[in-house]
Amino acid sequence: MKDYKLLTPGPLTTTATVKQEMLFDHCTWDDDYKKITLKIRDQLLELAHVRAEQYTVVLMQGSGTFGVESVITSVIGENEKLLIVANGAYGKRMKDICEHARINHEIIEFAENENPSAVAVAEKLDEEKEITHVAIVHSETTSGILNDIESVAKVVKERNKVFIVDAMSSFGGVDIEVGKLGIDFIISSANKCIQGVPGFSFVIANKNLLLASRGKARSLSLDLYDQWETMDKDGKWRFTSPTHVVLAFSKALDEMLEEGGIAARSKRYYDNNRLLIEKMAEMGMKSYVDLAYQGPIITTFYYPEGKEFAFSEMYDYIKARGYAIYPGKLTTAQTFRIGNIGEIYEADILNLCSIIKDFLAEVA
């Protein structure tokens, strides 16, 4: 199969050295392996700007959605209620999780290119006092918008509600002051901005609230408290862990720090994103999200006016020349998406735009 780079929101293109780590077969019971898990947990706390006295880290087998479902089904009790703040598919997925697990919930929805209003959230919380938890997606990759979690956090914490943030596509690529914002549970995944490979998600949790969740879980394998209780002793996972993925993630964390941490990685992603938007605009392709709300992770573009083609045509053309992009996810407009994260640099963005320019010249 011909190699190509991923311009997607994860899985993404990783370094050769991260891939190299997966050539080693490790035993899950081995002390050296358990030390790697403990190292990862310590490094994630540092990236979140929190201390072990107040927060802890739980690694959970599976994709990012497994992590989100683990939190929602483990920390919300039978007599509690979740408010979901949604402006895209991943906010709506939280609703699906609640419906499957029969969790009391309500959803407040905004347009896919609209930043959720903290005022509207505050009004909802004041109207419905029974709401105990609030959940929002930070980087909503349906559109590429970066939601203003700081303003939402303020109204949530002023009312003493538990705040849950899906930072799947942003953690590590956008700096988040977890403790300062009062985020109680923040969830991300190994194959996103830290640039590992798919296989597990992780949750950075308010330790007191995690302890209070004991016995609330509606699932055995996704029980967040039980996973933490086992892992916190010596780094042993409760059930079989994705050993190769863990080794790759540990290496990816080290490489991130060598690059300059979140600040350096965020700058590279933002530089990629702004350059991409500029070059695409030169070809008549407008981005869907206003630049003020556009995140650095992935960008949604409208099809150019006067050009008729199927996404599959463009995808195959670009893939044959070394890159893979994403189809659109909007229901309201014909769009496609291009990611900026992973081992992607200015030269890749310029090369991609040159390929797209050639493609547009060939279509009617």
Side-chain angles (χ1 to χ4, degrees), residues 128-196:
E128 302 192 30
K129 305 292 187 183
E130 68 272 22
I131 293 171
T132 54
H133 297 66
V134 178
I136 189 172
V137 176
H138 186 206
S139 173
E140 178 53 87
T141 55
T142 301
S143 66
I145 195 168
L146 191 68
N147 290 328
D148 179 12
I149 58 172
E150 184 173 352
S151 63
V152 174
K154 186 174 186 296
V155 301
V156 170
K157 302 318 290 186
E158 283 174 350
R159 290 157 180 79
N160 296 315
K161 310 299 183 182
V162 177
F163 193 34
I164 300 168
V165 174
D166 172 346
M168 207 61 58
S169 299
S170 59
F171 189 87
V174 177
D175 204 11
I176 305 171
E177 294 269 4
V178 173
K180 184 178 179 181
L181 292 178
I183 299 171
D184 297 300
F185 297 90
I186 189 165
I187 310 120
S188 192
S189 181
N191 60 291
K192 303 293 184 178
C193 294
I194 294 172
Q195 298 185 183

Side-chain angles (χ1 to χ4, degrees), residues 18 47 60 82 94 113 129 133 136 263 268 278 284 287-288:
V18 164
L47 292 177
M60 180 64 68
L82 173 67
M94 293 183 187
N113 61 348
K129 305 292 187 183
H133 297 66
I136 189 172
R268 173 160 63 86
E278 176 190 333
S287 56
Y288 174 71

Side-chain angles (χ1 to χ4, degrees), residues 218-271:
R218 295 158 176 84
S219 164
L220 171 65
S221 60
L222 297 180
D223 188 326
L224 191 67
Y225 175 86
D226 279 2
Q227 183 87 341
W228 169 79
E229 186 179 43
T230 300
M231 186 171 288
D232 201 53
K233 294 172 184 175
D234 62 358
K236 176 72 174 66
W237 296 54
R238 231 181 352 149
F239 306 125
T240 301
S241 62
T243 53
H244 300 83
V245 178
V246 172
L247 298 177
F249 188 72
S250 179
K251 180 64 174 177
L253 274 169
D254 293 343
E255 291 185 356
M256 180 183 190
L257 296 175
E258 290 167 7
E259 184 178 349
I262 293 176
R265 184 152 293 179
S266 183
K267 182 182 185 304
R268 173 160 63 86
Y269 290 171
Y270 267 108
D271 287 348

Side-chain angles (χ1 to χ4, degrees), residues 27 32 51 61 82-84 89 127 150-151 169 182 187 190 209 243 245 256 267 290 297 320 330 334:
C27 171
D32 290 337
R51 299 173 63 85
Q61 296 92 327
L82 173 67
L83 175 65
I84 302 164
E127 287 170 9
E150 184 173 352
S151 63
S169 299
I187 310 120
L209 289 175
T243 53
V245 178
M256 180 183 190
K267 182 182 185 304
D290 187 279
I297 309 305
L330 305 181
Q334 193 174 31

Side-chain angles (χ1 to χ4, degrees), residues 16 46 56 75 90 162-163 223 228 255 263 273-274 311:
E46 291 179 13
T56 188
V75 307
Y90 296 96
V162 177
F163 193 34
D223 188 326
W228 169 79
E255 291 185 356
N273 175 261
R274 293 332 191 220
F311 173 77

Side-chain angles (χ1 to χ4, degrees), residues 6-234:
L6 301 177
L7 295 171
T8 65
L12 39 67
T13 295
T14 57
T15 63
T17 42
V18 164
K19 296 181 182 74
Q20 185 77 23
E21 291 294 301
M22 294 188 287
L23 297 177
F24 188 87
D25 298 321
H26 227 312
C27 171
T28 58
W29 287 91
D30 186 85
D31 285 341
D32 290 337
Y33 176 71
K34 289 188 285 186
K35 286 175 184 176
I36 294 170
T37 297
L38 295 174
K39 164 191 170 286
I40 288 171
R41 295 174 70 225
D42 288 342
Q43 287 177 309
L44 289 173
L45 286 177
E46 291 179 13
L47 292 177
H49 308 287
V50 292
R51 299 173 63 85
E53 290 81 10
Q54 288 83 38
Y55 284 81
T56 188
V57 174
V58 189
L59 310 182
M60 180 64 68
Q61 296 92 327
S63 70
T65 299
F66 284 60
V68 175
E69 185 163 355
S70 173
V71 171
I72 290 176
T73 60
S74 294
V75 307
I76 301 168
E78 292 183 2
N79 299 317
E80 297 174 315
K81 184 176 183 179
L82 173 67
L83 175 65
I84 302 164
V85 183
N87 62 338
Y90 296 96
K92 292 176 183 177
R93 187 173 293 179
M94 293 183 187
K95 182 176 184 291
D96 289 342
I97 290 170
C98 289
E99 289 175 347
H100 277 77
R102 297 178 176 81
I103 293 171
N104 192 15
H105 68 283
E106 189 163 336
I107 185 168
I108 178 170
E109 294 191 56
F110 299 86
E112 291 166 322
N113 61 348
E114 177 187 4
N115 225 282
S117 164
V119 173
V121 174
E123 289 174 351
K124 176 64 70 173
L125 293 176
D126 290 340
E127 287 170 9
E128 302 192 30
K129 305 292 187 183
E130 68 272 22
I131 293 171
T132 54
H133 297 66
V134 178
I136 189 172
V137 176
H138 186 206
S139 173
E140 178 53 87
T141 55
T142 301
S143 66
I145 195 168
L146 191 68
N147 290 328
D148 179 12
I149 58 172
E150 184 173 352
S151 63
V152 174
K154 186 174 186 296
V155 301
V156 170
K157 302 318 290 186
E158 283 174 350
R159 290 157 180 79
N160 296 315
K161 310 299 183 182
V162 177
F163 193 34
I164 300 168
V165 174
D166 172 346
M168 207 61 58
S169 299
S170 59
F171 189 87
V174 177
D175 204 11
I176 305 171
E177 294 269 4
V178 173
K180 184 178 179 181
L181 292 178
I183 299 171
D184 297 300
F185 297 90
I186 189 165
I187 310 120
S188 192
S189 181
N191 60 291
K192 303 293 184 178
C193 294
I194 294 172
Q195 298 185 183
V197 299
F200 71 87
S201 58
F202 56 86
V203 180
I204 301 169
N206 177 310
K207 189 178 288 186
N208 288 336
L209 289 175
L210 179 61
L211 291 171
S213 74
R214 182 178 183 180
K216 292 182 180 180
R218 295 158 176 84
S219 164
L220 171 65
S221 60
L222 297 180
D223 188 326
L224 191 67
Y225 175 86
D226 279 2
Q227 183 87 341
W228 169 79
E229 186 179 43
T230 300
M231 186 171 288
D232 201 53
K233 294 172 184 175
D234 62 358

